[in-house]
Amino acid sequence: MKKTVPFLRLIQFVQFIRESNKMNKFVGNNEISSYLAKITGDEAFIYAPATFSRDKAKIKNELGIDLKYTKSKGYFINYSDQEFLIETSLDYFEMFAIMNQANALPEMFLISERKPSGLNQITEVVDFIKDKKVIQFNYLKYDTNEIDVRIIEPLAIKESLERWYLIGNDHKKNKGLRAFGFDRISDITFNGKKFTPKFSIMDIQTKYQSLFAMFDDEDKRLEEIELEFDSRDGNYIKSLPIHHSQKVENIPNGVRVYLKLKPTPDFIKEIVSRAWSLKVIKPESLREEIAIILKDSLLRNQ
């Protein structure tokens, strides 16, 4: 195996500590050095103290990961309240680093050509969020093809199902958190005003914990949902859970899936995509809604 590049070494360093910590293990300098020698295929690899110190500083300054050490145990990551963000970022960083290794062959990576538009605007919006500046933009409504002018207090950026969204509060109406797809946003400008955030990052996380994907339906309430799928679909769902609340029970010829979330249109679209094996156990209202959707589809396709 070819030698790893320095950036990938940083990621692998952190990933090793991360995975060890998940198993309630702490690792020391010698274990980290041995691990890196093993995965690089370089038996002569020596983690020189000076390189080791520089890497730890880079992990803190460039990756924003707080690496802690105790003599009695070893290294561990202090996640605080950003565990999911750090873990997701690490996965992206590692894939990026692997793809950009010296001598890597581009043709071995087949990347999806489905890419949402509007991502070039994210950098500008990040600055507006940091500076707490009210922004104005044109927003395309997909259902009517009309354009609204929105004046928003930008608060966060979120990814969902390969699309990126701006989360903010309407500066004038103040109706609560709303999500705006970057693929529908254009002509972003500073509105000339600054704002004091009315919602914290914790408020945003709490809101989206009860949802599948991005869009809320205020007419829906949080539900205990039970679904059944055949074994094939069950294996896919186990490997990529529908929602963080998911619990799976094996049953004869399939699985039963337990979820706690709002049955929004986005969630319904997700489970209907496996309609060939889907069976809704509860709630009754969801089963009836799915039945109507499938009956209408059948009529359109006869």
Side-chain angles (χ1 to χ4, degrees), residues 223-230 247 249 251-252 254-259 267 271 277-291:
E223 298 268 16
E224 298 279 355
I225 295 170
E226 293 182 23
L227 312 171
E228 286 184 3
F229 299 92
D230 66 16
K247 295 179 181 179
E249 173 188 352
I251 60 174
V255 298
R256 179 168 289 192
V257 177
Y258 301 88
L259 302 160
F267 170 69
I271 61 175
S277 76
L278 168 67
K279 180 179 180 181
V280 179
I281 307 302
K282 73 174 195 179
E284 177 69 25
S285 57
L286 178 60
R287 182 163 65 245
E288 292 173 353
E289 191 168 358
I290 295 292

Side-chain angles (χ1 to χ4, degrees), residues 104-264:
L105 299 175
E107 61 266 24
M108 68 172 63
F109 293 96
L110 305 178
I111 308 300
S112 171
E113 296 182 4
R114 292 183 62 198
K115 292 180 175 61
S117 59
L119 301 188
N120 59 304
Q121 305 173 103
I122 289 181
T123 301
E124 183 181 16
V125 171
V126 167
D127 290 334
F128 288 134
I129 293 173
K130 288 180 179 178
D131 297 335
K132 297 180 175 55
K133 291 181 176 179
V134 178
I135 60 174
Q136 179 174 310
F137 54 82
N138 293 335
Y139 194 66
L140 175 63
K141 299 169 69 175
Y142 277 168
D143 54 344
T144 63
N145 280 326
E146 296 175 345
I147 292 178
D148 278 348
V149 176
R150 307 303 298 264
I151 300 175
I152 299 298
E153 299 169 1
L155 299 169
I157 293 169
K158 190 176 188 307
E159 182 271 339
S160 177
L161 304 179
E162 299 183 76
R163 293 180 185 269
W164 288 86
Y165 297 85
L166 165 64
I167 299 173
N169 177 52
D170 191 294
H171 183 62
K172 292 183 177 179
K173 299 178 181 178
N174 192 30
K175 290 186 175 180
L177 295 169
R178 294 291 185 271
F180 305 91
F182 274 99
D183 53 322
R184 309 197 221 172
I185 292 174
S186 62
D187 300 323
I188 301 175
T189 58
F190 172 41
N191 184 254
K193 299 178 182 178
K194 300 193 76 170
F195 69 95
T196 300
K198 301 176 182 67
F199 302 92
S200 67
I201 293 298
M202 185 61 71
D203 292 331
I204 296 171
Q205 290 173 335
T206 299
K207 174 183 175 66
Y208 288 99
Q209 280 178 347
S210 66
L211 301 177
F212 173 84
M214 290 301 299
F215 293 102
D216 198 357
D217 184 340
E218 294 177 358
D219 293 330
K220 303 282 187 179
R221 60 184 178 85
L222 200 64
E223 298 268 16
E224 298 279 355
I225 295 170
E226 293 182 23
L227 312 171
E228 286 184 3
F229 299 92
D230 66 16
S231 296
R232 181 189 64 171
D233 278 343
N235 286 327
Y236 280 107
I237 290 166
K238 288 177 184 177
S239 65
L240 184 61
I242 296 172
H243 187 253
H244 67 85
S245 66
Q246 175 174 302
K247 295 179 181 179
V248 178
E249 173 188 352
N250 290 320
I251 60 174
N253 302 316
V255 298
R256 179 168 289 192
V257 177
Y258 301 88
L259 302 160
K260 187 173 183 178
L261 48 68
K262 285 186 175 184
T264 61

